[in-house]
Coordinates of all heavy atoms in Angstrom, one line a residue:
V1 N -10.5 -5.0 0.0 CA -9.5 -4.9 1.1 C -9.5 -6.1 2.0 O -10.6 -6.5 2.5 CB -9.7 -3.6 1.9 CG1 -8.5 -3.5 2.9 CG2 -9.7 -2.4 1.0
D2 N -8.4 -6.7 2.2 CA -8.3 -7.9 3.1 C -8.6 -7.6 4.5 O -8.0 -6.6 5.1 CB -7.0 -8.6 2.9 CG -7.0 -10.0 3.3 OD1 -7.5 -10.3 4.4 OD2 -6.5 -10.9 2.5
D3 N -9.5 -8.4 5.2 CA -9.8 -8.2 6.6 C -8.6 -8.4 7.5 O -8.5 -7.9 8.6 CB -10.9 -9.1 7.0 CG -12.2 -8.7 6.4 OD1 -12.4 -7.5 6.0 OD2 -13.1 -9.6 6.4
A4 N -7.6 -9.1 7.0 CA -6.4 -9.5 7.8 C -5.3 -8.3 7.8 O -4.3 -8.5 8.4 CB -5.8 -10.8 7.3
C5 N -5.6 -7.3 7.1 CA -4.6 -6.2 7.0 C -4.7 -5.3 8.2 O -5.8 -5.1 8.8 CB -4.8 -5.4 5.7 SG -4.4 -6.3 4.2
L6 N -3.6 -4.6 8.5 CA -3.6 -3.6 9.5 C -3.8 -2.2 8.9 O -3.9 -2.1 7.7 CB -2.3 -3.7 10.3 CG -2.0 -5.0 11.0 CD1 -0.7 -5.0 11.6 CD2 -3.1 -5.2 12.1
S7 N -3.8 -1.2 9.7 CA -4.1 0.2 9.2 C -3.0 0.9 8.6 O -3.2 1.8 7.8 CB -4.7 1.0 10.4 OG -5.9 0.4 10.9
H8 N -1.8 0.5 8.9 CA -0.6 1.2 8.4 C -0.1 0.7 7.0 O 0.7 1.4 6.4 CB 0.6 1.2 9.4 CG 1.3 -0.2 9.4 ND1 0.7 -1.3 9.9 CD2 2.5 -0.6 8.9 CE1 1.5 -2.3 9.7 NE2 2.6 -1.9 9.1
L9 N -0.6 -0.4 6.6 CA -0.1 -1.0 5.4 C -1.2 -2.0 4.9 O -1.5 -3.0 5.5 CB 1.2 -1.8 5.6 CG 1.8 -2.4 4.4 CD1 2.3 -1.4 3.4 CD2 3.0 -3.3 4.8
F10 N -1.8 -1.7 3.7 CA -2.9 -2.6 3.2 C -2.9 -2.5 1.7 O -2.5 -1.5 1.1 CB -4.2 -2.2 3.8 CG -4.6 -0.8 3.6 CD1 -5.4 -0.4 2.5 CD2 -4.3 0.2 4.5 CE1 -5.8 0.9 2.3 CE2 -4.6 1.5 4.3 CZ -5.4 1.9 3.2
G11 N -3.4 -3.5 1.1 CA -3.5 -3.6 -0.3 C -4.9 -3.5 -0.8 O -5.9 -4.0 -0.2
L12 N -5.2 -2.7 -1.8 CA -6.5 -2.5 -2.4 C -6.5 -3.3 -3.7 O -5.7 -3.0 -4.7 CB -6.8 -1.0 -2.8 CG -6.7 0.0 -1.6 CD1 -6.9 1.4 -2.1 CD2 -7.7 -0.4 -0.5
A13 N -7.3 -4.3 -3.8 CA -7.4 -5.1 -5.0 C -8.2 -4.3 -6.0 O -9.3 -3.8 -5.8 CB -8.1 -6.4 -4.7
I14 N -7.6 -4.1 -7.2 CA -8.2 -3.3 -8.3 C -9.3 -4.0 -9.0 O -9.1 -5.2 -9.4 CB -7.1 -2.8 -9.2 CG1 -6.0 -2.1 -8.5 CG2 -7.6 -2.0 -10.4 CD1 -4.7 -1.9 -9.3
P15 N -10.4 -3.4 -9.2 CA -11.5 -4.1 -10.0 C -11.0 -4.5 -11.4 O -10.2 -3.9 -12.0 CB -12.6 -3.0 -10.1 CG -12.3 -2.1 -9.0 CD -10.9 -2.1 -8.7
D16 N -11.5 -5.7 -11.8 CA -10.9 -6.3 -13.0 C -11.1 -5.4 -14.2 O -10.3 -5.5 -15.2 CB -11.7 -7.7 -13.2 CG -11.3 -8.7 -12.2 OD1 -10.2 -8.6 -11.6 OD2 -12.1 -9.6 -12.0
H17 N -12.1 -4.6 -14.3 CA -12.3 -3.8 -15.5 C -11.5 -2.6 -15.6 O -11.4 -1.9 -16.7 CB -13.8 -3.4 -15.6 CG -14.2 -2.4 -14.6 ND1 -14.5 -2.7 -13.3 CD2 -14.3 -1.0 -14.7 CE1 -14.8 -1.6 -12.6 NE2 -14.7 -0.6 -13.4
L18 N -10.7 -2.3 -14.6 CA -9.8 -1.1 -14.6 C -8.4 -1.5 -15.2 O -7.9 -2.6 -15.0 CB -9.6 -0.5 -13.2 CG -10.8 0.1 -12.6 CD1 -10.4 0.8 -11.3 CD2 -11.4 1.2 -13.5
D19 N -7.9 -0.5 -15.9 CA -6.5 -0.6 -16.4 C -5.6 -0.1 -15.3 O -5.6 1.0 -15.0 CB -6.3 0.3 -17.7 CG -5.0 0.2 -18.3 OD1 -4.0 0.1 -17.5 OD2 -4.9 0.1 -19.5
R20 N -4.8 -1.1 -14.7 CA -4.0 -0.7 -13.6 C -2.9 0.3 -13.8 O -2.7 1.2 -13.0 CB -3.4 -2.0 -13.0 CG -2.5 -2.8 -13.9 CD -2.2 -4.2 -13.4 NE -1.5 -4.2 -12.1 CZ -0.2 -4.1 -12.0 NH1 0.5 -4.1 -13.2 NH2 0.4 -4.1 -10.9
M21 N -2.4 0.3 -15.0 CA -1.3 1.3 -15.4 C -1.9 2.6 -15.6 O -1.3 3.7 -15.2 CB -0.5 0.8 -16.6 CG 0.2 -0.5 -16.4 SD 1.2 -0.5 -14.9 CE 2.3 0.9 -15.2
Q22 N -3.1 2.7 -16.1 CA -3.8 4.0 -16.3 C -4.2 4.5 -15.0 O -4.0 5.7 -14.7 CB -5.1 3.8 -17.2 CG -5.8 5.1 -17.5 CD -7.0 4.9 -18.3 OE1 -7.2 3.8 -18.9 NE2 -7.9 5.9 -18.4
L23 N -4.6 3.7 -14.1 CA -5.0 4.1 -12.7 C -3.7 4.6 -12.0 O -3.7 5.7 -11.3 CB -5.6 3.0 -11.9 CG -5.9 3.3 -10.4 CD1 -6.9 4.5 -10.3 CD2 -6.6 2.1 -9.8
S24 N -2.6 3.9 -12.2 CA -1.3 4.4 -11.6 C -0.9 5.8 -12.1 O -0.5 6.6 -11.3 CB -0.2 3.4 -11.9 OG 1.0 3.8 -11.4
D25 N -1.1 6.0 -13.4 CA -0.8 7.3 -14.0 C -1.7 8.4 -13.4 O -1.3 9.5 -13.1 CB -1.0 7.3 -15.5 CG 0.1 6.5 -16.2 OD1 1.2 6.2 -15.5 OD2 -0.1 6.0 -17.3
Q26 N -3.0 8.1 -13.2 CA -3.9 9.0 -12.6 C -3.5 9.4 -11.2 O -3.6 10.6 -10.8 CB -5.3 8.5 -12.6 CG -5.9 8.3 -14.0 CD -7.3 7.6 -14.0 OE1 -7.5 6.8 -13.1 NE2 -8.1 7.9 -15.0
L27 N -3.1 8.4 -10.4 CA -2.6 8.7 -9.1 C -1.4 9.6 -9.0 O -1.3 10.5 -8.2 CB -2.4 7.4 -8.3 CG -3.6 6.5 -8.0 CD1 -3.2 5.1 -7.7 CD2 -4.4 7.2 -6.9
K28 N -0.5 9.3 -9.9 CA 0.7 10.1 -10.0 C 0.4 11.6 -10.4 O 1.0 12.5 -9.9 CB 1.7 9.6 -11.0 CG 2.4 8.3 -10.6 CD 3.3 7.7 -11.7 CE 3.9 6.4 -11.2 NZ 4.7 5.7 -12.3
E29 N -0.5 11.7 -11.3 CA -0.9 13.1 -11.7 C -1.5 13.9 -10.6 O -1.4 15.1 -10.5 CB -1.9 13.0 -12.9 CG -1.3 12.5 -14.2 CD -2.3 12.3 -15.3 OE1 -3.5 12.6 -15.1 OE2 -2.0 11.7 -16.4
A30 N -2.2 13.1 -9.7 CA -2.8 13.8 -8.5 C -1.8 13.9 -7.3 O -2.2 14.3 -6.3 CB -4.0 13.0 -8.0
N31 N -0.5 13.6 -7.6 CA 0.6 13.7 -6.6 C 0.3 12.8 -5.4 O 0.6 13.1 -4.3 CB 0.7 15.2 -6.2 CG 2.1 15.4 -5.5 OD1 3.1 14.7 -5.8 ND2 2.2 16.3 -4.6
I32 N -0.2 11.6 -5.7 CA -0.5 10.6 -4.7 C 0.5 9.5 -4.8 O 0.6 8.9 -5.9 CB -1.9 10.1 -4.8 CG1 -2.9 11.2 -4.5 CG2 -2.1 8.9 -3.8 CD1 -4.4 10.8 -4.8
S33 N 1.3 9.3 -3.8 CA 2.3 8.3 -3.8 C 1.9 7.0 -3.1 O 1.8 6.9 -1.9 CB 3.6 8.8 -3.1 OG 4.6 7.9 -3.1
V34 N 1.6 6.0 -4.0 CA 1.3 4.6 -3.5 C 2.1 3.7 -4.4 O 2.8 4.1 -5.3 CB -0.2 4.3 -3.6 CG1 -1.0 5.1 -2.6 CG2 -0.7 4.6 -5.0
S35 N 2.0 2.4 -4.1 CA 2.8 1.4 -4.9 C 1.9 0.4 -5.5 O 1.0 -0.1 -4.9 CB 3.8 0.7 -4.0 OG 4.6 1.7 -3.4
L36 N 2.2 0.0 -6.8 CA 1.5 -1.1 -7.4 C 2.3 -2.4 -7.0 O 3.5 -2.5 -7.3 CB 1.5 -0.9 -8.9 CG 0.5 0.1 -9.5 CD1 0.6 0.1 -11.0 CD2 -0.9 -0.3 -9.0
R37 N 1.6 -3.3 -6.4 CA 2.2 -4.6 -6.1 C 1.3 -5.7 -6.6 O 0.3 -6.0 -6.0 CB 2.5 -4.7 -4.6 CG 3.4 -3.7 -4.0 CD 4.9 -4.0 -4.4 NE 5.9 -3.1 -3.9 CZ 6.4 -2.1 -4.5 NH1 5.9 -1.8 -5.7 NH2 7.2 -1.3 -3.9
G38 N 1.7 -6.4 -7.6 CA 0.9 -7.4 -8.2 C -0.4 -6.8 -8.7 O -0.4 -5.8 -9.5
G39 N -1.5 -7.3 -8.3 CA -2.8 -6.8 -8.8 C -3.4 -5.8 -7.8 O -4.6 -5.5 -7.8
S40 N -2.6 -5.3 -6.8 CA -3.1 -4.4 -5.8 C -2.4 -3.1 -5.7 O -1.3 -3.0 -6.3 CB -2.9 -5.1 -4.4 OG -3.7 -6.3 -4.3

């Protein structure tokens, strides 16, 4: 997480070994609404 981010909007850089689309699907299944933007 970038130190320059504020609390209302921040990007989480995904670890390289994770499949970002698979993680996105897992979040949707848990009814968690976030956005994939680039690698974050």
Side-chain angles (χ1 to χ4, degrees):
V1 183
D2 201 308
D3 290 339
C5 292
L6 299 174
S7 298
H8 76 288
L9 181 68
F10 56 92
L12 304 177
I14 303 170
D16 292 338
H17 69 278
L18 290 185
D19 184 317
R20 58 195 298 273
M21 296 312 299
Q22 183 177 348
L23 178 57
S24 177
D25 290 340
Q26 290 172 335
L27 289 164
K28 289 177 183 176
E29 288 172 10
N31 199 29
I32 295 171
S33 179
V34 292
S35 303
L36 286 181
R37 295 288 181 264
S40 298

